[in-house]
Amino acid sequence: MDEIHAQEQAHLSEIYAMLVKIRTDLETTLNTTQKDAARDLRQMSEEIRPDFGGADETIETLAAIETLNSVIDTYNQYHDFTVEKLGRVEMLLRQPYFAKVRLKMRPGRPSRDVYIGAAGITDEDRNPLIVDWRSPVAETYYNQEMGQTSYEVDGKKRTVELELRRQFDIVRDTLNMYFDTTVAIEDSLLLSALRRHHTEKLQAITATIQREQNTVVRHADVAVLLVNGIAGSGKTSVLLQRIAYLLYRERKTLRADQVHLFTPNDVFGRYIDTVLPSMGESNPHVTTWNEFLGSLGLADHASGAHDDPALLTQLENGIASLVLEEDDFRGISLNNQQLIKPAQVASAVAKFSKFPVGPRLIALAKDELHTRLERRLGQMAHKDSLQEEMLGLDVEEQVQVFGHTVNPSSDEEILAATRQYLAYRFASAHDKIEAATWLRIDRIGMRILNTQALSGAEWVYLRLLITGSGAQNARFVMIDEVQDYSVTQLMVLARYFSRAHFLLLGDAHQAIYQDSATFDQIRNIFTETHGSVEECRLMTSYRSSPEITELFTSLLSNRERVQISSVHREGTRPVLREVVNSDTDTQRICYLDALREAIGEAAGNGGLTAVIAQDKQRVRWLEKQLSNTALSREKNDTPAGKKQDVPPHNKPLVTVVTSQDTLPAQGVVLLDLALAKGLEFDRVIIADAQAEVYGNDELSRRRLYTAISRAMHRVTIVSQGPMTPLLTAYLKDGCAGI
C-alpha cells in the first residue's frame, strides 16, 4: 500500500466511524423521541374531557384539541427531519464519498480538502465532513480544470486554485483504489462504470458526470433549455441529475410534485424510478402523453399524435368569432341534485356577451355562477326537509360540518345553520364551476372544425383557448425523447404548462415516427410560448463501444460524424448476417436459424439481450416463430446441416416485453423499437433488417440508428433477404460476418 492510499484509507476510516456514530445517535434520538411523544400525548389526551354541552365548554374542548394537534405536528416535524437525516447517513455508509478536491481559496491561506459525496453531512459543530455533489463548491470537481477555476455562490463568482482532483473507488469503509485525474477521457471512474453490465434499473451517474453533461445539470434556470444529444450521451441520466440539482438548489421553495417528467412509455418510467430515491430525493410526477390525456378524462379520445397542427390554428381562428349557443352548456349537478340548469348557465354567460369567448369571459361567468349557486343554496335552505336533515345530525357530524356542536332554536338560527350545512354538502359544486365542466368543449370544437369527434390534443388545446386554465402550480416540465412528439402534442404541452420552465431532451436522429416534430419546429413552438430557447449539445457516447458507435454513426453525414466520439476502450465488432436464398421457404428457415443461433450465443454469455423488431406486428410474428413449437425439429434437421439445440419445454427462447412489464436484469427479451427507446442492453439483435423493412429513406435511417444504439457491448444484425441498403457501405468494408 502506497503512502497516499494509506492516508486516504485512514481518513475514510475516521469519516466512516463518525457516520456510524451519527447513525447510532439518530436512532437513539428517534427511539427516545417516540417514547417521549407517546408519553406526552397520552398525558394530554387523558387531560382532555370532551364537553360540547354549551358554547364555553365547546370552545375549551376545541382549544385543548388544537393544542394537542400542535404538539403532534411539532413531534412529526422533528421526526421527519431526523428520519431524513438518517436516510442520508445510511446512503453515505454505502459509499461515503467518491471524490476529493484540494482548493486554495485565497492566496497565502492553507489549501482546503473538500470531499464530495451523494449527500452532505456535518459534524456536531456543523463543520462539513462531506459536501453534497450539488453544492456550489463541488462544481470545481466537475469543471475538470486544474489550476484556476471557479464556482458560483448566490450568483457571485468565486475564483479558486484547483490543486488536486482525486477520485475514489470506495465500498463502505474500504478504499479499493484512488485516481488523480484531470480530463474526462482519463476519467478512471467513468471507464470503470462503462465496463458494467446492464442493470435492471437505471443508475445514478453522480460520480461520473462529465463536463458537457455538467453544463446541462447546472445550467442556469431558463424558460426553455433544449438539449440535442447523440445516442448514448446520457441524456436521461443528465435529466434526472438536473431534477436532483433543482430540488437541492431550490429545496425551500420547490417540491417534487411541482416537477413533471414526460417519459416515452411505462417500461421506461419503471426503468428510471429508483434513480432519484437513490440520491435521497422524491420522484417527480412521472407520466406519458397518454397518461396525461387520461388524467384529464380523455382516455377514450385519439391521442392527437397524428393531428394536423393547422387544425389547432383553425381552433384559434374559430374562437375569435365564436358565438356560444345554448346547447354548448350543461347544467351543474351534484349527488343527483341539479343545482343550476343548462339554460341558467347559458343565461349567466350571456350576461357578459360583450366580451369575446376566452379566459376573461369565462372568469366573469364563473363569478356569476358562484353567485347563482349561493343564491340557489340559500333558497334550498328554506325547505323543511333539509332543515330537518340538518337538525338530525349527530354530534360527530355537527363537529365535522360546523367545527362545533350547534343547537339552533329560532327560525333565523335554523335557517342560517341549514344554509351552512348545504354549503358543506355541496362544496364540490363550486369546484365544478371552477373546472368549467359546464362547457361542452367537444360540441364547440366539432362545430368549429366541422368534424364528428375531437382528438385529445384538440380538446385540451380548445379548453386552454377558451378558459386559459392549465397546470398553474407546475414549476418545471421535463420531456425526454422530445423528438418523438408531434407538433400538435408540443403545442398543447407548451400552453398547458405555460408558467413552467421546460427541459427538452432528444436526438434528432432518433425520431422514429413519421409525424414527429423537427428541432426547428420545437424551437419555434417554445419561442412563441416562452419567449426564448437556449440550447446545449451532447456529442460523446458513453453507452456503446467504439465499434458500435462507428456503426450507428455511419448512418450520419460526414460533418456530424466527425463531431462524435466514444470514450469506451476497444470492444467487439458488430456482426451482420445477410440470409439470402432463391427459395422463400428455405430463406425463412435459414433466417430463423440465424436468429436462434444469435439468441443462443447471447443467452450463454449472461447479461441482458434485446431482440428488437421494428413494430408490434413483427414482434408477434417473431414470438410465434421463436416459440418452442417452432423449435420442435431434430437437432440435425437444418438446411445447413448445423446442429441446433432445442431449449427445454416450458422455457421460451425469448421473453416478450410489453408496456406493462418491468425490464429484467438478464435474459433475452423481444420488444418493438418504440418500447426500446431510451433503454440500453448488453447486446442487441436487430431482426428483419432487410431492405423491405429498413428502406433507403430518412425514417428508416433514424429507426435503424435508434435500434443499433441501444447496445452497450455487442450488436448482431440479421436480414431475411438482402440487407438494408443503409448498411451497404459497412458491408463492403468487410466489417461483417455473412
Side-chain angles (χ1 to χ4, degrees), residues 7-21:
Q7 291 172 351
E8 293 291 1
Q9 178 62 68
H11 178 82
L12 173 62
S13 298
E14 182 182 355
I15 295 296
Y16 198 85
M18 290 182 179
L19 291 172
V20 171
K21 183 179 184 304

Side-chain angles (χ1 to χ4, degrees), residues 24-184:
T24 301
D25 292 345
L26 289 171
E27 290 174 341
T28 301
T29 299
L30 272 177
N31 187 47
T32 302
T33 303
Q34 288 173 348
K35 291 179 179 178
D36 291 345
R39 184 194 64 242
D40 292 347
L41 296 176
R42 184 175 60 254
Q43 291 176 352
M44 293 182 69
S45 298
E46 290 172 353
E47 293 171 359
I48 295 176
R49 298 289 184 267
D51 187 353
F52 300 100
D56 292 342
E57 291 81 359
T58 298
I59 291 172
E60 289 181 7
T61 298
L62 293 176
I65 293 173
E66 183 63 28
T67 300
L68 178 61
N69 288 335
S70 177
V71 172
I72 292 173
D73 288 341
T74 301
Y75 273 120
N76 285 340
Q77 290 174 8
Y78 186 75
H79 175 272
D80 291 345
F81 170 79
T82 307
V83 168
E84 187 274 331
K85 187 175 182 179
L86 181 59
R88 279 188 284 127
V89 173
E90 292 284 7
M91 178 169 60
L92 291 173
L93 284 169
R94 293 191 289 272
Q95 183 188 44
Y97 45 82
F98 56 80
K100 163 185 170 179
V101 290
R102 182 169 294 157
L103 303 172
K104 184 173 284 297
M105 312 300 285
R106 286 184 289 176
R109 298 292 298 274
S111 300
R112 173 188 170 193
D113 285 348
V114 178
Y115 287 84
I116 304 168
I121 201 77
T122 60
D123 62 18
E124 57 188 11
D125 297 322
R126 303 187 68 82
N127 297 312
L129 300 175
I130 304 164
V131 302
D132 193 294
W133 68 274
R134 296 163 292 186
S135 66
V137 72
E139 190 170 358
T140 59
Y141 170 76
Y142 295 108
N143 285 341
Q144 299 177 344
E145 295 174 342
M146 300 301 295
Q148 190 176 85
T149 188
S150 64
Y151 62 97
E152 285 192 5
V153 181
D154 297 329
K156 297 180 180 179
K157 184 176 180 180
R158 296 196 62 178
T159 301
V160 296
E161 287 287 324
L162 177 60
E163 298 178 338
L164 177 71
R165 182 177 183 270
R166 181 167 291 164
Q167 299 175 312
F168 302 106
D169 178 6
I170 291 173
V171 179
R172 297 191 175 276
D173 61 346
T174 301
L175 172 62
N176 297 318
M177 289 183 290
Y178 73 90
F179 316 94
D180 289 344
T181 59
T182 56
V183 296

Side-chain angles (χ1 to χ4, degrees), residues 141 236 295 364 413 431 490 550 618 694 712:
Y141 170 76
T236 301
S295 69
L364 292 168
E413 290 176 347
D431 298 333
L490 294 175
E550 179 188 359
R618 295 187 177 277
Y694 293 96
M712 298 168 60

Side-chain angles (χ1 to χ4, degrees), residues 308-325 328 356-358 439-454 458-467:
D308 184 352
L311 294 177
L312 300 193
T313 303
Q314 188 176 337
L315 289 173
E316 290 186 44
N317 297 333
I319 289 294
S321 58
L322 177 66
V323 177
L324 294 172
E325 303 172 355
D328 293 334
V357 177
L439 273 173
R440 299 176 65 184
I441 299 293
D442 272 315
R443 189 182 186 281
I444 298 170
M446 289 187 292
R447 191 164 77 249
I448 294 175
L449 298 180
N450 192 27
T451 185
Q452 297 300 309
L454 293 186
E458 291 164 348
W459 191 97
V460 179
Y461 199 77
L462 179 58
R463 188 179 186 276
L464 291 169
L465 291 172
I466 295 176
T467 69

